[in-house]
Amino acid sequence: MASLTDDLKAAALAYHRLPKPGKLEIQATKPLATQRDLALAYSPGVAAACEAIAEDPETAAELTARQNLVAVISNGTAVLGLGAIGPLASKPVMEGKAVLFKKFAGIDVFDIEIDADEVSRIVDVVAALEPTFGGINLEDIKAPECFEVEEQLKARMSIPVFHDDQHGTAIIVGAAVRNALELAGKKIEDAKIVTSGAGAAALACLNLLVSLGARRENIWVTDLEGVAYEGREALMDRWKAVYAQKTDLRTLAEVIEGADVFLGLSAGGVLKADMVARMAEKPLIMALANPNPEIMPEEARAVRPDAMICTGRSDFPNQVNNVLCFPYIFRGALDVGARAINEEMKRAAVEAIAGLAREASSEVAAQAYGGETRLFGPDSLIPSPFDPRLILRIAPAVAKAAQDTGVARRPITDFEAYEERLSRFVFRSGLAMKPVFAAAKRSPKRVAYAEGEDERVLRAAQIAIEEKIAVPILIGRPHVIEVRAKRYGLSIRPGIDFEIIDPEDDPRYRDYVALYLERAGRCGVTPDRARTVVRTNFTVIAALAVQRGDADAMICGLEGRYHGHLRAIDEVIGQAGGIDDYSALSLVITSRGVHFIADTYVTPDPTAPELADMTMRCADYVRRFGLEPKVALLSHSNFGSFNSPSSEKMRETLAILRREAPELEVDGEMHADAALNEAQRARNFPASTLKGEANLLIMPNLDAANISYQLIKAVADALPVGPMLLGPAKPAHILTPSVTARGLVNMTAIAVTDVQAQSA
């Protein structure tokens, strides 16, 4: 496990501690507001549900949360790279796994840490939990006990039991091997496979590769004792013995000759460059040790430019990350009430992952990755963990395999409807910012922060540097920034990690004054005033830095009034061509989904043409998040139910959009609840051209937009993103004084994608 920096360790502890301990909570899914609600939820009404389940146990899937509830279970004997730290110390990891299940696949989890080391006791404890759960995810149990535990539980339980450390890794490795061999023009039955490491994950990978067609005689296993050979006694068990070769060879260096695939699940640096040089043509090197791979990609490519390389790290292509599969395998298994996760279901997941990597990127998927079209090839053997299509490919494939092999209790009869339901979940999962961060990381840009002395900016700059999403430029006094960074325990260093523009003493001061006079001289700015402003107005300085090319984008607004900042940006940067006026787009991410609202901050009462222009620009922004815009023009009138100036304005806006953007999915005027509820909309106006739930809500005026935005933030405990300023000639965003460091980081990523979009 990589050692933590002091500030990352402090941030991680604060994350787990505040505002309440841990990462999970339990919430009721039904109303409990009245005496009747209580009577239905508990005594006496609950007896009806109990009696129904007693009569037919299968109804538990309809009457309880069991079929969407998974247990993540560990005894803490092999936790990440931390080793046998015990069940209690493993709890943060298990909570983290629970969060991934929920975020990526909508699956609820109880994490269960058990104080049990003996196989028989572990099995007895877990097997006794079957009435509670729809599936069991075993986690961080050391080998070889984990093999025996899983084997016995599968025999005793009639719900899926899945040891992710083994099978999750194996499935992704299987997909990578499948695609790499295809690119190399090789067949799996002919491939020579050499491993370094023979733990649970490595042996599971080999077992699955054999299931996919690899031959045991072509597989060579090495570990701390060298080659696994017939007759060896040290560090051998019945699972490893399956791959023992009758040979006199004893080391990795000896067996690597002519290998088509190297599978490393061991330790950093064990695969040497001279070994790679002796591998077969177009080899696949899977150096999956973390944080230091068995060989660094650049070292391998130096001797073998034809090599295809996978690692476990996010900073290299082809990351083998278990989150690629385990949430979606369980999603498919739970949705058909599977009794087990069998080999056929695992192979179906392999083919789904491999197939997705070979797919041409759709327009929406390309938008999700900053406009990049991902092409199948040596650097794209497996999909990104954040590809929104993963659940849409893996879960149905696993569900179909469960049905085909007879382990599904509740087969899906309409897969088209099932896939539509999964599609709706994709953008209700709170992962809206992931594509934006992925795009920002690929090509970081220089972002100037006007309020560079603010604690939130300093913390955001630290994260931006660590996450490699931007190159921060802080505007402020160097000594103040340095003192405050130390006070807050941050490790970022001025002049090394980030640049400072010092308002009191910057060598570009005269140039900035001259540029400000050039841009704002006809707005009543005198030379004396210009000199004062460029010393004192940090938003103007940030705008000048962007206009002059010293920065690529700017963020301001942590202090002062919104329109004061907007005036400074307008004076220096100005509007983009073809823009009638600025507008502000705000995003709220709730448990229900992702919704954009406009115009939340700029124009008090826009005209219909202004609303239409704003809507088209907002729609382009929504696409950058990998979403296809579904636009609702909101009003107090519902499809002509009331005539007023504002409702008539929204109707006129629709007419303009129908004429100027016929491809846009838009309708109105309508009530807000109709925009978010297709069934209600269909009752009121069956002919509506808007399908599904609207994700872009256009308000008739500033009051409606801002009130709605603030209300949703407060009532729905939503994550706000923005506001995003639309219309400036160069990327500039004005936030609000309530923004958090987290909000600043989000807007930093968005600002970077603005620059990318302008230069595309």
Side-chain angles (χ1 to χ4, degrees):
M1 185 71 176
S3 59
L4 301 178
T5 61
D6 288 343
D7 42 282
L8 182 58
K9 182 176 181 179
L13 292 174
Y15 176 89
H16 284 79
R17 184 176 288 127
L18 302 170
K20 62 175 68 174
K23 299 188 282 281
L24 301 170
E25 66 179 3
I26 295 174
Q27 291 186 340
T29 60
K30 301 293 171 60
L32 293 168
T34 67
Q35 185 62 40
R36 178 170 174 78
D37 292 340
L38 295 176
L40 294 172
Y42 199 56
S43 181
V46 73
C50 295
E51 291 168 347
I53 295 170
E55 183 177 336
D56 179 7
E58 290 300 315
T59 61
E62 305 168 10
L63 300 174
T64 73
R66 179 177 186 256
Q67 203 50 49
N68 196 51
L69 185 62
V70 165
V72 171
I73 299 178
S74 180
N75 67 351
T77 52
V79 182
L80 300 176
L82 302 173
I85 60 175
L88 183 58
S90 77
K91 189 171 180 65
V93 178
M94 302 311 125
E95 284 189 357
K97 192 68 175 280
V99 169
L100 295 179
F101 266 109
K102 186 67 175 180
K103 284 291 184 184
F104 284 91
I107 294 171
D108 296 314
V109 166
F110 287 158
D111 64 288
I112 298 176
E113 295 74 33
I114 58 175
D115 188 6
D117 291 336
E118 302 82 8
V119 168
S120 59
R121 188 174 180 213
I122 296 171
V123 171
D124 286 342
V125 170
V126 177
L129 297 171
E130 182 168 350
T132 302
F133 296 101
I136 303 292
N137 183 102
L138 301 174
E139 194 79 15
D140 292 347
I141 300 172
K142 71 181 179 73
E145 288 86 343
C146 60
F147 300 118
E148 191 67 47
V149 168
E150 186 184 43
E151 194 173 280
Q152 292 188 29
L153 287 173
K154 284 183 173 180
R156 287 179 59 172
M157 303 180 80
S158 59
I159 59 175
V161 177
F162 187 83
H163 186 207
D164 184 48
D165 297 334
Q166 296 180 54
H167 307 301
T169 302
I171 286 165
I172 305 163
V173 165
V177 169
R178 171 76 83 204
N179 282 342
L181 292 178
E182 178 180 314
L183 286 172
K186 302 175 183 178
K187 296 180 179 179
I188 192 169
E189 58 266 28
D190 299 329
K192 179 179 180 180
I193 300 169
V194 176
T195 78
S196 173
L203 293 177
C205 290
L206 296 179
N207 292 341
L208 185 56
L209 290 174
V210 169
S211 176
L212 292 168
R215 295 192 294 189
R216 293 183 190 274
E217 58 265 32
N218 291 339
I219 295 174
W220 298 77
V221 173
T222 70
D223 59 12
L224 290 173
E225 289 291 325
V227 175
Y229 60 89
E230 290 183 7
R232 194 183 106 177
E233 297 181 359
L235 291 181
M236 292 297 287
D237 53 54
R238 64 185 176 94
W239 297 278
K240 193 185 303 182
V242 170
Y243 295 102
Q245 293 273 16
K246 187 174 183 178
T247 181
D248 294 328
L249 303 178
R250 292 294 183 265
T251 66
L252 173 62
E254 292 175 302
V255 299
I256 197 70
E257 184 80 34
D260 298 288
V261 177
F262 169 79
L263 174 59
L265 285 154
S266 55
V270 301
L271 183 66
K272 307 302 181 184
D274 66 297
M275 299 182 194
V276 173
R278 292 187 286 114
M279 292 180 71
E281 181 185 2
K282 296 181 180 178
L284 171 62
I285 298 171
M286 307 197 76
L288 306 183
N290 253 331
N292 299 313
E294 283 79 2
I295 188 169
M296 293 299 289
E298 59 268 24
E299 295 177 51
R301 286 209 173 89
V303 293
R304 291 302 299 272
D306 62 334
M308 293 170 276
I309 304 171
C310 300
T311 71
R313 291 171 43 152
S314 62
D315 52 345
F316 293 109
N318 295 322
Q319 182 194 13
V320 174
N321 185 331
N322 283 15
V323 80
L324 264 168
C325 67
F326 74 79
Y328 317 121
I329 289 170
F330 269 97
R331 182 72 279 157
L334 295 176
D335 288 341
V336 295
R339 296 181 178 88
I341 295 175
N342 56 31
E343 284 300 305
E344 292 82 0
M345 294 160 74
K346 288 188 280 185
R347 286 201 297 269
V350 169
E351 297 301 338
I353 294 170
L356 179 56
R358 294 192 296 267
E359 284 186 34
S361 293
S362 67
E363 182 180 354
V364 172
Q367 286 284 348
Y369 291 93
E372 175 189 351
T373 299
R374 295 183 162 231
L375 301 176
F376 175 52
D379 285 337
S380 189
L381 297 173
I382 49 180
S384 161
F386 299 114
D387 192 316
R389 298 170 294 174
L390 283 165
I391 193 172
L392 307 179
R393 301 294 184 273
I394 300 173
V398 169
K400 286 176 182 175
Q403 293 183 192
D404 292 344
T405 55
V407 298
R409 289 188 179 90
R410 298 183 308 281
I412 294 169
T413 57
D414 186 345
F415 268 92
E416 186 175 338
Y418 175 58
E419 290 168 6
E420 173 61 26
R421 177 160 62 88
L422 293 176
S423 182
R424 289 198 302 271
F425 167 78
V426 167
F427 294 111
R428 288 184 177 178
S429 60
L431 296 172
M433 289 302 301
K434 294 297 183 183
V436 176
F437 275 85
K441 285 182 179 181
R442 280 194 301 275
S443 181
K445 305 298 180 184
R446 301 166 300 166
V447 178
Y449 300 85
E451 293 88 358
E453 299 174 2
D454 191 285
E455 176 185 356
R456 293 165 292 177
V457 168
L458 292 169
R459 294 191 181 280
Q462 172 97 26
I463 296 169
I465 292 166
E466 290 177 349
E467 295 292 320
K468 299 178 181 178
I469 61 171
V471 180
I473 300 172
L474 274 55
I475 298 170
R477 296 161 293 177
H479 65 283
V480 173
I481 291 172
E482 190 167 2
V483 168
R484 290 183 179 177
K486 289 180 181 177
R487 181 192 306 164
Y488 306 137
L490 304 178
S491 63
I492 52 175
R493 297 158 298 174
I496 299 174
D497 299 309
F498 62 93
E499 181 186 345
I500 292 178
I501 297 177
D502 181 4
E504 295 179 345
D505 184 21
D506 192 279
R508 293 163 291 192
Y509 172 71
R510 292 181 183 277
D511 294 331
Y512 278 21
V513 170
L515 179 59
Y516 186 48
L517 276 171
E518 176 188 326
R519 302 292 295 180
R522 292 185 179 276
C523 298
V525 175
T526 64
D528 286 343
R529 176 63 180 162
R531 284 188 284 272
T532 301
V533 167
V534 176
R535 290 282 192 207
T536 59
N537 190 318
F538 292 8
T539 297
V540 168
I541 298 171
L544 290 167
V546 171
Q547 183 64 27
R548 192 169 178 268
D550 297 333
D552 300 309
M554 65 167 285
I555 292 175
C556 62
L558 279 71
E559 300 172 2
R561 295 183 177 181
Y562 189 94
H563 280 269
H565 294 287
L566 182 59
R567 184 169 57 253
I569 290 170
D570 187 48
E571 285 178 347
V572 176
I573 295 176
Q575 293 181 359
I579 298 298
D580 291 335
D581 198 359
Y582 301 99
S583 54
L585 176 65
S586 295
L587 167 62
V588 284
I589 303 173
T590 70
S591 58
R592 181 187 178 98
V594 173
H595 295 96
F596 295 83
I597 302 172
D599 170 6
T600 48
Y601 280 93
V602 179
T603 307
D605 190 15
T607 64
E610 288 171 338
L611 283 171
D613 179 66
M614 177 184 71
T615 300
M616 289 184 281
R617 284 185 282 123
C618 289
D620 288 339
Y621 229 98
V622 172
R623 292 187 185 99
R624 195 181 302 171
F625 286 77
L627 289 162
E628 197 56 45
K630 293 177 175 287
V631 187
L633 305 176
L634 299 189
S635 171
H636 67 97
S637 170
N638 203 34
F639 297 106
S641 64
F642 195 90
N643 288 322
S644 67
S646 66
S647 62
E648 290 171 358
K649 177 172 68 174
M650 300 311 277
R651 287 173 216 158
E652 184 183 348
T653 301
L654 178 64
I656 297 171
L657 290 170
R658 290 267 196 264
R659 183 173 63 252
E660 296 187 7
E663 77 289 349
L664 188 63
E665 187 174 343
V666 57
D667 211 346
E669 82 290 3
M670 70 179 74
H671 288 168
D673 54 352
L676 303 180
N677 188 318
E678 184 176 26
Q680 179 177 330
R681 188 164 64 249
R683 284 194 300 271
N684 293 329
F685 191 67
S688 175
T689 54
L690 179 63
K691 304 302 178 185
E693 183 175 306
N695 54 29
L696 175 53
L697 309 176
I698 302 298
M699 304 290 178
N701 55 47
L702 179 59
D703 282 351
N706 191 270
I707 290 169
S708 299
Y709 171 58
Q710 303 292 354
L711 193 61
I712 293 171
K713 278 200 307 178
V715 173
D717 192 24
L719 170 64
V721 179
M724 295 161 261
L725 181 63
L726 279 62
K730 295 184 179 182
H733 293 288
I734 307 167
L735 305 185
T736 61
S738 63
V739 70
T740 62
R742 180 184 181 187
L744 269 168
V745 173
N746 285 336
M747 284 307 303
T748 299
I750 289 171
V752 170
T753 63
D754 284 342
V755 181
Q756 294 170 345
Q758 284 196 353
S759 59

